[in-house]
Amino acid sequence: MTRYSLLDLVPVIEGGTVSQSLANAADLARHAESVGFQRYWVAEHHGMTGIASAATAVVIAHIAAATKTIRVGSGGIMLPNHAPLVIAEQFGTLDALFPGRIDLGLGRAPGSDQRVARAMRRTLETDANAFPQDVMELQSYFANDGQTGIVATPGAGADVEMWILGSSTFGAQLAAALGLPYAFASHFAPDALDAALAIYRRDFRPSARLAKPHVMAGFNVFAAETDAEAELLASSQQQSFVALRTGNPGKMKPPLAGYRESLGAQGNQILDHVLQCSAVGSPAKVARGIAAFIERTGVDEVMVTSAIYDHEARKRSLSITADVMQDLKIAA
């Protein structure tokens, strides 16, 4: 039976504030918990006025404090931006505050442009190709195995569930080699999905953490009572994607009727490509889309993304998604 989880970029809408976005995130997490979502992840992005989750560990603490049972974590922490010891301390602290509920998804992308990356790191000498070594150093801090000669406090002995994230085959190879669960960013980078999952499953080595492969993949869902309403809701994220890909990111815009029709060929090609892994429509249409994605990929979990301008409409979309997933479980 396929689990369902939620990735929230904590969007800041036009006319809104970061404070409002963080309050909405807590409310959305409580709602997701109430309708059966397995986990709630936020992601590290920097220098983007439309995303409020840059201080990812702080936002995770805010979400975990607002909920009771749902797992909360990162999708992900961009490890090249940080010393592994700092992340061990941050997530060791989170585990101490919310034991047994903290996930640490790790990625190697910068989560920003080169200018912002330089401001984050003070230097660009950090090598993304050192990501595997950084992950193993982080594992060592949590295991407190003495290999680093340093005891992470907090961090040593923390029961943090570590994931490797990816949008190419690199992360799949690393997750397989380390015996860790793997999450693929198909909600915005679908090209290597099938190849990455095949490599991960083929090369997986059991570990003390995980006996067999465990895969999660991102999937956009915009659900409403009718197809037309769902298409309208989806137009806010569509505008955000086009703005990002054309070098003009900003706050999330209100839905715009006929937005796809107003785009030229280039804009529609961007959306058709980046949003391949999506379901937009009524409950029945969303059910067909999710079922087809699960059948194609065989994923153990679907990581739902659903950036919707109106908060109550977003909660309704999640409720419909949860109903669909429950129905799919019964059917299975």
Side-chain angles (χ1 to χ4, degrees), residues 81-155:
N81 291 341
H82 312 278
L85 178 59
V86 171
I87 299 304
E89 291 172 342
Q90 289 179 0
F91 280 75
T93 302
L94 288 168
D95 178 67
L97 290 169
F98 310 102
R101 293 180 57 204
I102 300 301
D103 295 339
L104 173 54
L106 297 166
R108 66 183 184 121
S112 61
D113 60 27
Q114 290 296 297
R115 180 177 55 87
V116 176
R118 184 175 287 106
M120 284 282 300
R121 307 177 196 176
R122 314 306 295 174
T123 173
L124 290 181
E125 292 179 3
T126 303
D127 185 2
N129 292 323
F131 180 62
Q133 289 73 34
D134 288 345
V135 171
M136 289 186 285
E137 181 181 339
L138 187 50
Q139 286 183 305
S140 181
Y141 289 129
F142 288 136
N144 196 26
D145 57 15
Q147 292 187 16
T148 66
I150 299 170
V151 177
T153 308

Side-chain angles (χ1 to χ4, degrees), residues 4-328:
Y4 51 102
S5 298
L6 180 66
L7 174 64
D8 181 17
L9 298 188
V10 195
V12 183
I13 64 171
E14 279 196 352
T17 64
V18 169
S19 294
Q20 178 188 5
S21 296
L22 291 169
N24 284 348
D27 184 58
L28 194 70
R30 286 189 292 266
H31 180 69
E33 181 177 72
S34 73
V35 295
F37 279 76
Q38 173 74 11
R39 60 189 91 237
Y40 189 107
W41 282 4
V42 295
E44 178 185 348
H45 291 82
H46 300 283
M48 301 184 71
T49 58
I51 296 177
S53 54
T56 313
V58 179
V59 177
I60 289 170
H62 168 64
I63 297 299
T67 54
K68 296 179 180 179
T69 59
I70 193 170
R71 298 193 65 90
V72 185
S74 63
I77 288 290
M78 301 297 105
L79 196 52
N81 291 341
H82 312 278
L85 178 59
V86 171
I87 299 304
E89 291 172 342
Q90 289 179 0
F91 280 75
T93 302
L94 288 168
D95 178 67
L97 290 169
F98 310 102
R101 293 180 57 204
I102 300 301
D103 295 339
L104 173 54
L106 297 166
R108 66 183 184 121
S112 61
D113 60 27
Q114 290 296 297
R115 180 177 55 87
V116 176
R118 184 175 287 106
M120 284 282 300
R121 307 177 196 176
R122 314 306 295 174
T123 173
L124 290 181
E125 292 179 3
T126 303
D127 185 2
N129 292 323
F131 180 62
Q133 289 73 34
D134 288 345
V135 171
M136 289 186 285
E137 181 181 339
L138 187 50
Q139 286 183 305
S140 181
Y141 289 129
F142 288 136
N144 196 26
D145 57 15
Q147 292 187 16
T148 66
I150 299 170
V151 177
T153 308
D159 183 25
V160 174
E161 187 171 297
M162 191 179 293
W163 289 68
I164 299 297
L165 313 184
S167 58
S168 68
T169 57
F170 182 95
Q173 293 168 331
L174 179 60
L178 297 180
L180 292 175
Y182 179 57
F184 191 88
S186 39
H187 58 293
F188 74 91
D191 289 351
L193 172 61
D194 298 310
L197 298 193
I199 288 170
Y200 173 66
R201 288 167 174 147
R202 182 194 69 198
D203 296 343
F204 181 84
R205 300 175 186 173
S207 67
R209 172 64 68 175
L210 197 62
K212 61 181 182 179
H214 188 92
V215 174
M216 178 160 58
F219 192 77
N220 301 289
V221 178
F222 297 89
E225 302 307 321
T226 66
D227 291 350
E229 183 184 356
E231 291 285 355
L232 181 61
L233 295 177
S235 66
S236 293
Q237 188 180 44
Q238 291 165 0
Q239 292 176 76
S240 295
F241 269 127
V242 171
L244 179 63
R245 294 301 173 94
T246 55
N248 188 35
K251 293 184 176 182
M252 176 173 280
K253 296 181 180 298
L256 182 61
Y259 175 66
R260 289 294 298 258
E261 291 75 10
S262 71
L263 288 177
Q266 181 184 6
N268 273 292
Q269 287 172 358
I270 289 172
L271 292 181
D272 288 341
H273 178 74
V274 77
L275 298 177
Q276 291 175 46
C277 296
S278 302
V280 181
S282 65
K285 187 174 181 181
V286 165
R288 291 193 297 272
I290 294 176
F293 183 70
I294 293 171
E295 183 177 1
R296 168 190 165 187
T297 60
V299 292
D300 303 287
E301 295 187 45
V302 175
M303 177 58 84
V304 173
T305 65
S306 180
I308 293 173
Y309 183 88
D310 180 79
H311 184 61
E312 292 304 318
R314 194 177 187 201
K315 290 168 67 174
R316 177 59 184 147
S317 180
L318 293 188
S319 294
I320 293 172
T321 303
D323 289 343
V324 164
M325 294 301 301
Q326 291 294 334
D327 288 344
L328 291 176

